[in-house]
Amino acid sequence: SCPQTWIVSCPMVKRRNRDRIAIAAFLAVVWGAGASQDLAESEFSGPNSTSPDLAGGGNDAALVQAGSYLRADLRQYGSLNEAAAEQAGTYNDLSLDQTGVGNLADVAQIGSGNDAVLSQLGEYNSIDLLQDGAENSAFVSQVGDSHHAGVIQLGNSNLVDIRQFGSASRIIVTQSGDNNTAYIIQSD
């Protein structure tokens, strides 16, 4: 079992999401959809909304929502992009856009009123995000190839805005406590 605050990087959660995707892939083949199809899986309870949009080939999305008034908007264009999101609590909001090849996003929102707007354009970019608290905001935009952004927000009313351009930029931001602000721009 993994600590609640490290759910994004928890191998058990990643393995569970990959197992769900593998089951969906198996069912797609059995039902004749073909192995190159995109896969979307949602599991939720309460008055929540999800709108996966997968265009291209081999894109995977897995979403688990437990709580009320949770919203997730997942859009992937291109091929071999992966998104795994888990939302728990109330009024958490996630918007994810991935365009290109081999982009990866792993998101966990726990608490109330957390907001994340994530965008990746290019190849082999990755975002790991954990929001645990209330009213945290994360904005991450990565344009180019092979970028990584890791964000951990523990507490309330924290803000992070990351923009990475070019190739191979890396950033890890940890905000612990309340009312912290970070603005980062990296370019090569």
Side-chain angles (χ1 to χ4, degrees):
S1 143
C2 298
Q4 185 75 10
T5 56
W6 294 103
I7 198 164
V8 171
S9 61
C10 175
M12 238 163 55
V13 170
K14 286 184 178 183
R15 186 171 44 254
R16 184 182 75 220
N17 287 339
R18 291 190 203 290
D19 289 346
R20 287 181 177 156
I21 291 169
I23 290 168
F26 172 76
L27 292 175
V29 171
V30 169
W31 290 332
S36 67
Q37 295 295 313
D38 298 319
L39 303 173
E41 178 182 355
S42 297
E43 176 183 314
F44 52 87
S45 61
N48 303 312
S49 72
T50 178
S51 57
D53 183 4
L54 306 167
N59 293 315
D60 296 332
L63 172 64
V64 177
Q65 293 177 314
S68 300
Y69 306 103
L70 304 168
R71 188 179 80 77
D73 201 2
L74 309 176
R75 291 175 298 277
Q76 297 185 119
Y77 307 97
S79 59
L80 305 175
N81 297 301
E82 294 183 31
E86 186 168 342
Q87 294 177 305
T90 57
Y91 297 103
N92 292 316
D93 194 348
L94 168 63
S95 176
L96 170 65
D97 285 291
Q98 296 189 126
T99 302
V101 177
N103 295 304
L104 173 66
D106 202 350
V107 177
Q109 292 178 307
I110 302 160
S112 178
N114 294 305
D115 185 36
V117 178
L118 312 175
S119 174
Q120 301 190 113
L121 174 62
E123 297 182 354
Y124 305 105
N125 298 301
S126 63
I127 297 173
D128 291 311
L129 170 65
L130 168 63
Q131 293 177 310
D132 189 349
E135 304 297 328
N136 293 303
S137 296
F139 304 97
V140 179
S141 176
Q142 300 186 131
V143 178
D145 301 328
S146 303
H147 296 300
H148 175 73
V151 177
I152 299 171
Q153 294 178 308
L154 306 174
N156 304 308
S157 301
N158 295 304
L159 168 67
V160 65
D161 188 339
I162 297 171
R163 298 169 195 207
Q164 299 191 121
F165 305 95
S167 61
S169 294
R170 304 270 187 265
I171 185 73
I172 297 176
V173 175
T174 300
Q175 295 177 316
S176 182
D178 300 336
N179 300 305
N180 296 299
T181 302
Y183 294 100
I184 296 106
I185 297 174
Q186 295 191 126
S187 180
D188 62 354

